[in-house]
Amino acid sequence: MPNSLLLLNALRLNALFSGSSALLLLIAGPWIAVQLGLNSTAPVYATAGLLAIFALQIWNIVRTRKIRTMEIAAIILGDIAWVVGSVILVALFYSSLTITGLLLVDVAAIAVLYFAIQQIRGLRAWRRSANA
């Protein structure tokens, strides 16, 4: 069996972070909406729902230990899209965000970027060991 420890650990952290973030968004939706300069909690709750689905999908991979390259690539692309979206959000709505809102967006983006990098490293290691 190819070595998948790095990849599975990165996916596990991503799933836990995404699930925890979804829960935080659900619990603190109104407060987070204010920090992000939003007039409605709908985008916060929609993001929470999408993050929960994303976390469950990732967790299923970790649970089953079935490494499907295209599925992992889609997760990595989703993480990269999150980081790019965060940069765009901050660039376009900087004046609407509170300092706390900026920190929330930036810390989440840095964490997600870390997961993407580790997942790329893990996928490459898995592919090398599968081809050895």
Side-chain angles (χ1 to χ4, degrees):
M1 175 179 200
N3 185 357
S4 59
L5 186 61
L6 176 61
L7 178 58
L8 290 173
N9 283 340
L11 290 167
R12 185 176 292 111
L13 285 173
N14 193 346
L16 291 172
F17 183 80
S18 297
S20 298
S21 296
L23 189 59
L24 177 66
L25 291 172
L26 285 174
I27 293 169
W31 180 80
I32 290 172
V34 169
Q35 302 310 309
L36 298 178
L38 299 172
N39 295 326
S40 167
T41 57
V44 175
Y45 292 137
T47 303
L50 292 173
L51 279 174
I53 293 166
F54 187 69
L56 289 171
Q57 181 61 33
I58 297 170
W59 191 254
N60 187 53
I61 295 168
V62 172
R63 183 185 59 79
T64 62
R65 297 180 164 267
K66 289 186 179 177
I67 307 297
R68 294 175 292 274
T69 305
M70 293 305 290
E71 194 172 11
I72 304 298
I75 290 166
I76 293 168
L77 287 175
D79 287 340
I80 292 169
W82 180 278
V83 173
V84 170
S86 296
V87 170
I88 292 169
L89 174 79
V90 169
L92 292 179
F93 300 104
Y94 179 82
S95 62
S96 300
L97 299 166
T98 66
I99 295 297
T100 304
L102 284 169
L103 284 171
L104 289 170
V105 172
D106 290 346
V107 168
I110 290 167
V112 171
L113 179 60
Y114 172 78
F115 301 142
I117 291 168
Q118 291 303 99
Q119 289 161 174
I120 290 167
R121 290 181 63 222
L123 186 57
R124 285 181 180 165
W126 179 79
R127 283 181 175 162
R128 278 193 304 271
S129 67
N131 293 327

